[in-house]
Amino acid sequence: MTDAKRVRFAPSPTGYMHIGNARTALFNYLFVKKVGGQFILRIEDTDQERSTPEAVKVIVDSLKWLGLDWNEGYFGLNEEKGDFGPYSQMKRLSMYNEYLDKLLSLKKAYYCFCTEEEIEIERQQAVKAGTPYKYGGKCKKLSETEIKEKLAKKERFVVRFTVTENTLVKFNDMVRGAVEFNTKEIGDFVIARSDGVPIYNFAVVIDDHLMEITHVIRGEDHLSNTPRQVLLYEAFGFEMPEFAHLSMILGADRSKLSKRHGETSLLAYRAKGYLPEAMFNYMSLLGWYPKDGVEIKSKEEIFTNFDIKDVGHSGSIFDEKKLTWMNHEYIQKLPEEVYLKYALPYLNNISKPDNWKKDVLLKIKTGVKHFDQISELASIYTEVKAVDEKAANVWSGINNAAATINAFIEVLKANEITKENCKVLIAEAGKKANVKGKDLFMPIRIAITGAEHGDELANVLPALGSAECIRRMETNLKNIK
Ligand code: GLU
């Protein structure tokens, strides 16, 4: 093995790219960016029922969108590159079989012909006894002749790895430090089935060894698999990689991140108009906290500051609100022409000249948190919006709403509204109508925008200008009565 560091991201192509998986990919990438080395994208497609070619494409698209690049493995549906291929497990079956034969001939693994029913009985007994289930070892005692006979009869089998009882399996985890498991908890585990398809724990060890992976960085959900893998490394006499198990990603209520907390698919954020740079920055903070406490960082800064040893081992919260805050910050910092390039397509359904659209887009920029809000935010400028039902209810609950509007109309007739004088002019109307707070702002908002919520008045009113504000208030005042 050379000194070069080699890491891999090894997703199963079974659907969309979950935020948690994307974070694993990102931390592998950041690790390599910091210490140098090669990043490999390997596809773990042994679950043939759930794996699809489309999902491979989703994986590649997701990683590319996030701004990651890699050196070997899959780059598209049927595009592989690198000297350690093939890079998907279903194309590597002959390799696994070769190593499986080795273990069998070393007597470190054995055939097990127990039926599912037999295993289920054992499992029930363990449940009754209140002990964790472990295979009872019946087939370990089969003679060579019995095995040959059963194989000749084409009985269905699995191959089990022989685990030495009651010994400690130790490994070092870059995130968690020293980790220990007692083999008492493990039992002879399945590594392959008679259809020739290996089980994850076995395939992953062969792949990581043959691909000369030096650092295995993955989710904490695999922590309990690692002792099994360590036992396999030892059985083969393979050099052990270093491990890092990243904490789970939780929702704001500290339960496992799920749809309840917001979108869990990386590309859903692309669809909602989040910037990949903001996503990259926000996701780098899922488990890692920069020593200088500055959260908004350029990629270059993240590359130099990131250290896998600083990654925490308690669960990291994926807070969509904070992500949205960060995305808003990133959008505000975009140079005008870049912002317009992103934003213009969101007004495709409006037949107005580009210049008009650009003008509106710049007016609403401060309110844009993600781009898919644009058509809603812009609608304030595109039409005099009739007061919606919810807003009309709110309106009717306010005393003298109409008088407030008439006062504001009077004020605007005498003054052109600007960003600077906006607050003062609203207050002046308040004084005239003798109202404050919500009783003042809400009628104005409703009469001008037609809705109860929306961008700040200080953005909307100056952008519309006094004449347009008056026109809208007069129209709505007539309709609302
Ligand atoms: N295919 C596994 C997963 O998606 C990979 C685990 C590993 O990185 O070893 O969780």
Side-chain angles (χ1 to χ4, degrees), residues 399-401 403-412 422-444:
N399 281 335
N400 293 330
T404 306
I405 293 308
N406 282 322
F408 196 42
I409 290 174
E410 243 179 77
V411 173
L412 292 195
C422 181
K423 268 197 179 143
V424 177
L425 296 188
I426 293 175
E428 207 178 310
K431 230 182 257 163
K432 273 184 197 280
N434 200 20
V435 285
K436 287 203 279 231
K438 209 175 159 204
D439 289 345
L440 170 60
F441 297 115
M442 203 42 98
I444 294 179

Side-chain angles (χ1 to χ4, degrees), residues 8-12 21 24 42-45 89 200 204 208 216-219 221-222 225 229:
R8 85 306 191 268
F9 175 53
S12 304
N21 262 346
T24 299
R42 181 173 76 221
I43 300 297
E44 301 206 330
D45 53 356
Q89 293 187 321
Y200 159 74
V204 78
D208 286 342
V216 168
I217 303 169
R218 62 185 167 207
D221 47 336
H222 289 289
N225 286 321
Q229 295 171 22

Side-chain angles (χ1 to χ4, degrees), residues 108-152:
K108 290 181 175 178
Y110 59 91
Y111 289 101
C112 170
F113 299 92
C114 288
T115 60
E116 275 173 32
E117 291 74 33
E118 284 173 291
I119 299 287
E120 191 46 39
I121 292 170
E122 279 193 0
R123 210 183 287 278
Q124 292 303 332
Q125 281 164 352
V127 171
K128 255 196 210 150
T131 50
Y133 169 70
K134 257 173 29 180
Y135 174 62
K138 180 180 156 201
C139 289
K140 216 193 280 196
K141 297 170 204 125
L142 290 176
S143 68
E144 289 292 324
T145 336
E146 284 171 311
I147 295 170
K148 275 202 188 116
E149 269 172 29
K150 285 176 182 291
L151 289 177

Side-chain angles (χ1 to χ4, degrees), residues 7-9 24-25 27-29 31-32 174 213 215-219 242-246 308:
V7 301
R8 85 306 191 268
F9 175 53
T24 299
F27 279 29
N28 272 283
Y29 177 71
F31 176 82
V32 158
M174 291 186 285
I213 300 302
H215 295 75
V216 168
I217 303 169
R218 62 185 167 207
E242 296 235 30
F243 293 99
H245 290 92
L246 308 171
I308 192 92

Side-chain angles (χ1 to χ4, degrees), residues 5-60:
K5 308 226 179 340
R6 293 173 55 82
V7 301
R8 85 306 191 268
F9 175 53
S12 304
T14 53
Y16 66 94
M17 167 87 76
H18 188 274
I19 293 287
N21 262 346
R23 194 273 307 254
T24 299
L26 175 65
F27 279 29
N28 272 283
Y29 177 71
L30 293 179
F31 176 82
V32 158
K33 282 285 170 188
K34 172 74 181 220
V35 300
Q38 307 287 300
F39 182 21
I40 293 126
L41 173 59
R42 181 173 76 221
I43 300 297
E44 301 206 330
D45 53 356
T46 52
D47 183 343
Q48 295 162 81
E49 263 166 36
R50 294 175 61 225
S51 298
T52 63
E54 296 75 42
V56 174
K57 200 176 165 310
V58 171
I59 291 167
V60 170

